[in-house]
Amino acid sequence: MPAAATAFRTSMCFSSQKPAADSDLESNILTPKPRNILHEHPLYQRTNASISLQFKEKILCLEIMGVDSGRALAQNPSLHTAPLPSIHAIVAFLQSKGIHLKDLGRILGMCPKILTSDIKSDLNPVFNFLSYDLRVPDQNFRRVINKCPRLLISSARDQLKPALFYLHRLGFKDLHALAYQDPILLVSSVENTLIPKLDYLVSLGFSKADAVGMVLRCPGLFTFSVENNFKPKFKYFAEEMNGRLEELKGFPQYFAFSLEKRIKPRHMEVVQSGVKVALPLMLKTTDEEFRSLLRQGS
């Protein structure tokens, strides 16, 4: 985005005027205010006339950044009373960390709680965690945050560091992979997500060591739902495919494929062809490669 356009958008969002106190809200509604560039915007013209100037500017600011203001206010009620200068300060802080203005619509739309965070106690510790614990260079903050915006609403002390410690103990030694490929694992609860997923794999008959080996090869297993993913796919694997645990141990990526769109159709074609196809080849190959395997085996 050209610098002039960025400056224009920023100037529209953030006024240098200080917000009025709560006791002044009524007068803000009734007393004519000097017009600025915000007042000419069509979104501003459509807002309810009974809403205060400060609130209108806040809504317009969110919309201009690409954030659905209604959804953001519903998900983060604290935004109703957040002063515009504090939102401006948070945006300026994120930009100082390398986050681009064009990224904010998606980041803040996904996690509107960021807009009412405390820079010193909430946001700074997250960037310190990225820098010192994950060894992410400053210039790569944007890449990591865009990959997982939820990092910015996670407590470095209570969530990110305990998750990293647990994952490290399991065998996740590659900090680069955790930062750039699987940061979602860092915002997952150790007690409520990571441990239960591992325990479920063990309950299927895998040893603890085998279950750990599976999540190390396919970290996405930690993100799958037990009820909506693991259970129906394992049921089909065990009952319809007569599969063996050893196959899943060697190819845990099975759980990453769609049951209805990939696993069932491919399995039925294999059964109809009478050709024996290894699980990875059955699911990983392209349609053309898969058909070729069946033709060669028949």
Side-chain angles (χ1 to χ4, degrees):
M1 181 182 297
T6 300
F8 176 73
R9 288 181 64 185
T10 306
S11 67
M12 287 189 71
C13 285
F14 306 118
S15 169
S16 60
Q17 295 179 349
K18 295 181 179 179
D22 292 341
S23 60
D24 296 332
L25 288 180
E26 184 176 353
S27 63
N28 284 336
I29 298 172
L30 301 176
T31 306
K33 299 295 179 184
R35 298 180 68 80
N36 60 38
I37 196 168
L38 284 167
H39 303 155
E40 307 303 327
H41 197 282
L43 284 172
Y44 182 94
Q45 299 293 338
R46 291 198 295 269
T47 53
N48 193 306
S50 66
I51 299 176
S52 70
L53 169 64
Q54 287 77 16
F55 197 70
K56 284 184 177 182
E57 290 183 339
K58 190 186 305 180
I59 292 174
L60 183 53
C61 170
L62 294 174
E63 294 290 344
I64 289 173
M65 287 193 295
V67 179
D68 183 332
S69 60
R71 185 170 179 270
L73 288 163
Q75 291 188 353
N76 183 8
S78 297
L79 263 178
H80 285 83
T81 55
L84 194 57
S86 72
I87 295 176
H88 184 191
I90 288 170
V91 170
F93 173 77
L94 294 177
Q95 288 182 293
S96 75
K97 295 298 184 180
I99 310 300
H100 293 183
L101 195 62
K102 65 182 179 182
D103 303 326
L104 294 179
R106 175 177 171 273
I107 292 173
L108 300 177
M110 289 178 63
C111 305
K113 185 181 175 183
I114 296 169
L115 290 165
T116 53
S117 297
D118 183 274
I119 292 175
K120 182 178 180 180
S121 61
D122 298 327
L123 298 179
N124 245 330
V126 172
F127 285 99
N128 287 338
F129 171 81
L130 295 180
S131 181
Y132 299 114
D133 294 87
L134 282 188
R135 311 288 175 81
V136 176
D138 292 4
Q139 66 268 23
N140 288 349
F141 285 159
R142 178 183 178 233
R143 179 181 168 189
V144 177
I145 295 301
N146 273 321
K147 179 72 173 178
C148 185
R150 284 175 56 195
L151 286 165
L152 293 177
I153 56 171
S154 300
S155 167
R157 184 191 66 182
D158 299 329
Q159 170 59 49
L160 301 179
K161 291 189 176 184
L164 179 60
F165 178 75
Y166 176 76
L167 293 168
H168 188 76
R169 285 183 57 192
L170 285 184
F172 286 86
K173 308 295 186 183
D174 188 345
L175 294 179
H176 186 277
L178 278 176
Y180 301 110
Q181 297 173 29
D182 305 302
I184 187 68
L185 301 184
L186 297 168
V187 301
S188 302
S189 168
V190 173
E191 294 80 7
N192 299 322
T193 299
L194 302 182
I195 291 177
K197 300 288 176 65
L198 202 60
D199 288 345
Y200 179 76
L201 291 175
V202 172
S203 75
L204 296 179
F206 297 104
S207 68
K208 178 68 175 293
D210 287 344
V212 169
M214 290 169 68
V215 297
L216 288 175
R217 282 195 298 279
C218 183
L221 294 179
F222 272 138
T223 68
F224 300 153
S225 165
V226 170
E227 294 298 325
N228 299 323
N229 187 308
F230 284 128
K231 286 187 176 180
K233 289 179 184 178
F234 185 77
K235 178 181 172 70
Y236 186 83
F237 177 79
E239 297 180 3
E240 302 298 328
M241 298 173 64
N242 296 314
R244 298 175 294 106
L245 289 182
E246 198 67 22
E247 293 179 88
L248 292 181
K249 175 185 171 183
F251 187 64
Q253 294 88 344
Y254 164 83
F255 292 104
F257 291 91
S258 168
L259 180 59
E260 298 299 328
K261 296 180 180 180
R262 191 74 159 191
I263 297 173
K264 285 185 178 181
R266 289 279 178 98
H267 173 246
M268 288 194 299
E269 286 193 61
V270 167
V271 172
Q272 291 169 2
S273 71
V275 177
K276 185 173 178 61
V277 180
L279 189 61
L281 289 176
M282 186 183 87
L283 298 177
K284 289 172 62 177
T285 51
T286 65
D287 288 341
E288 184 178 344
E289 292 169 338
F290 180 65
R291 305 287 184 276
S292 177
L293 282 173
L294 297 185
R295 286 194 300 268
Q296 292 173 10
S298 61

